[in-house]
Coordinates of all heavy atoms in Angstrom, one line a residue:
R1390 N -1.7 3.0 3.4 CA -0.8 4.0 2.8 C -1.4 4.7 1.5 O -2.3 4.2 0.9 CB 0.5 3.4 2.4 CG 0.4 2.3 1.3 CD 0.7 2.7 -0.1 NE 0.3 1.7 -1.1 CZ -0.9 1.7 -1.7 NH1 -1.8 2.5 -1.5 NH2 -1.1 0.7 -2.6
N1392 N 0.5 6.2 -2.0 CA 1.8 6.3 -2.7 C 1.9 7.6 -3.4 O 1.0 7.9 -4.2 CB 2.0 5.1 -3.7 CG 3.4 5.0 -4.2 OD1 4.3 5.6 -3.7 ND2 3.5 4.4 -5.4
G1395 N 5.7 6.5 -7.9 CA 6.4 5.2 -8.1 C 5.4 4.1 -8.2 O 5.3 3.2 -7.2
E1396 N 4.6 4.1 -9.3 CA 3.5 3.1 -9.4 C 3.9 2.0 -10.3 O 4.3 2.2 -11.4 CB 2.2 3.8 -9.9 CG 1.0 3.4 -9.1 CD 1.1 3.8 -7.7 OE1 0.7 4.9 -7.3 OE2 1.4 2.9 -6.9
H1397 N 3.6 0.8 -9.9 CA 3.9 -0.4 -10.7 C 5.4 -0.5 -10.9 O 5.9 -1.0 -12.0 CB 3.1 -0.5 -12.0 CG 1.6 -0.8 -11.6 ND1 1.2 -2.1 -11.5 CD2 0.6 0.1 -11.5 CE1 -0.1 -2.0 -11.3 NE2 -0.5 -0.7 -11.3
T1398 N 6.2 0.0 -10.1 CA 7.7 -0.1 -10.2 C 8.2 -1.1 -9.2 O 9.3 -1.6 -9.4 CB 8.3 1.3 -9.8 OG1 7.7 1.8 -8.6 CG2 8.1 2.3 -11.0
D1399 N 7.5 -1.4 -8.1 CA 8.1 -2.2 -7.0 C 8.4 -3.7 -7.4 O 9.4 -4.2 -7.0 CB 7.3 -2.2 -5.7 CG 5.8 -2.7 -5.8 OD1 5.3 -3.0 -6.9 OD2 5.2 -2.9 -4.7
Y1400 N 7.5 -4.2 -8.3 CA 7.9 -5.6 -8.8 C 8.8 -5.6 -10.0 O 9.1 -6.6 -10.6 CB 6.5 -6.4 -9.1 CG 5.6 -5.7 -10.0 CD1 5.7 -5.7 -11.4 CD2 4.5 -5.0 -9.5 CE1 4.9 -5.1 -12.3 CE2 3.6 -4.4 -10.4 CZ 3.8 -4.4 -11.7 OH 2.9 -3.7 -12.6
V1405 N 9.9 3.5 -5.0 CA 8.5 4.0 -4.6 C 8.6 5.0 -3.6 O 9.7 5.2 -2.9 CB 7.7 2.8 -4.1 CG1 7.4 1.8 -5.3 CG2 8.3 2.1 -3.0
G1486 N -7.9 1.0 -2.6 CA -6.5 0.9 -3.1 C -5.5 1.6 -2.0 O -4.5 2.1 -2.4
S1488 N -4.4 0.0 0.7 CA -3.7 -1.1 1.4 C -4.3 -1.5 2.7 O -3.6 -1.7 3.7 CB -2.2 -0.6 1.7 OG -1.5 -0.5 0.5
Q1519 N 4.4 -9.8 2.7 CA 4.2 -9.8 1.3 C 4.1 -11.3 0.8 O 3.2 -11.6 0.0 CB 5.5 -9.2 0.6 CG 5.3 -9.2 -1.0 CD 6.6 -9.0 -1.6 OE1 7.7 -9.1 -1.0 NE2 6.6 -8.8 -3.0
E1522 N 0.7 -12.6 1.2 CA -0.2 -12.1 0.2 C 0.0 -12.8 -1.2 O -0.9 -13.2 -1.9 CB -0.2 -10.6 0.0 CG -1.2 -10.2 -0.9 CD -1.7 -8.7 -0.5 OE1 -1.5 -8.2 0.5 OE2 -2.4 -8.1 -1.4
M1528 N -2.2 -13.1 -4.5 CA -2.1 -11.8 -5.2 C -0.6 -11.5 -5.4 O 0.1 -11.3 -4.4 CB -2.9 -10.7 -4.3 CG -2.5 -9.2 -4.6 SD -3.0 -8.8 -6.3 CE -2.3 -7.1 -6.4
P1529 N -0.2 -11.3 -6.6 CA 1.3 -11.2 -6.8 C 1.8 -9.8 -6.7 O 2.6 -9.3 -7.5 CB 1.4 -11.7 -8.4 CG 0.1 -11.3 -8.9 CD -0.9 -11.5 -7.9
C1530 N 1.5 -9.1 -5.5 CA 1.9 -7.8 -5.3 C 3.4 -7.7 -5.1 O 4.1 -8.6 -4.8 CB 1.1 -7.2 -4.1 SG 1.5 -8.1 -2.6
G1531 N 3.8 -6.4 -5.2 CA 5.2 -6.1 -4.9 C 5.3 -5.9 -3.3 O 4.4 -6.2 -2.6
V1532 N 6.4 -5.2 -2.9 CA 6.6 -5.1 -1.5 C 6.3 -3.7 -0.9 O 6.5 -3.5 0.3 CB 8.1 -5.6 -1.1 CG1 9.1 -4.4 -1.5 CG2 8.3 -6.0 0.3
M1533 N 5.9 -2.8 -1.8 CA 5.7 -1.4 -1.3 C 4.8 -1.3 -0.2 O 5.1 -0.6 0.8 CB 5.2 -0.6 -2.5 CG 4.6 0.7 -2.0 SD 4.3 1.8 -3.3 CE 2.8 1.2 -4.0
D1534 N 3.5 -2.0 -0.3 CA 2.5 -1.7 0.7 C 2.9 -2.2 2.1 O 2.7 -1.5 3.2 CB 1.3 -2.4 0.3 CG 0.8 -1.9 -1.1 OD1 1.3 -0.9 -1.5 OD2 -0.1 -2.6 -1.6
Q1535 N 3.6 -3.4 2.1 CA 3.9 -3.9 3.4 C 5.2 -3.1 4.0 O 5.2 -2.9 5.3 CB 4.4 -5.4 3.3 CG 3.2 -6.3 3.0 CD 2.8 -6.2 1.5 OE1 3.4 -5.6 0.7 NE2 1.6 -6.9 1.2
Y1586 N -3.5 -7.0 -13.0 CA -2.2 -6.7 -12.2 C -1.2 -7.8 -12.7 O 0.0 -7.6 -13.0 CB -2.4 -6.7 -10.7 CG -1.3 -6.3 -9.9 CD1 -1.1 -5.0 -9.5 CD2 -0.4 -7.3 -9.5 CE1 0.0 -4.7 -8.7 CE2 0.7 -6.9 -8.7 CZ 0.9 -5.6 -8.3 OH 2.0 -5.3 -7.5
M1693 N -3.5 9.2 -10.2 CA -4.1 7.9 -9.5 C -2.9 7.5 -8.5 O -1.8 7.6 -8.8 CB -4.5 6.9 -10.4 CG -3.4 6.4 -11.4 SD -3.6 4.6 -11.9 CE -2.8 3.7 -10.6
G1695 N -1.8 3.8 -6.2 CA -2.1 2.4 -5.9 C -2.1 1.6 -7.2 O -1.6 2.1 -8.2
G1696 N -2.8 0.5 -7.2 CA -2.7 -0.4 -8.4 C -3.5 0.1 -9.6 O -3.3 -0.3 -10.6
G1697 N -4.5 0.9 -9.3 CA -5.4 1.3 -10.4 C -6.7 0.6 -10.6 O -7.0 -0.1 -9.7
Ligands
GLA2085 C1 -0.6 -2.6 -5.4 C2 0.4 -3.6 -5.0 C3 1.8 -2.9 -4.8 C4 2.2 -2.0 -6.1 C5 1.0 -1.2 -6.5 C6 1.2 -0.4 -7.8 O1 -0.8 -1.6 -4.4 O2 0.1 -4.1 -3.8 O3 2.8 -3.8 -4.5 O4 2.6 -2.8 -7.1 O5 -0.2 -1.9 -6.6 O6 2.3 0.5 -7.6

Side-chain angles (χ1 to χ4, degrees):
R1390 61 97 191 94
N1392 189 19
E1396 223 63 85
H1397 290 276
T1398 47
D1399 61 352
Y1400 51 83
V1405 294
S1488 289
Q1519 179 202 12
E1522 187 150 347
M1528 160 64 181
C1530 62
V1532 78
M1533 166 170 72
D1534 304 345
Q1535 292 78 9
Y1586 187 95
M1693 58 151 271

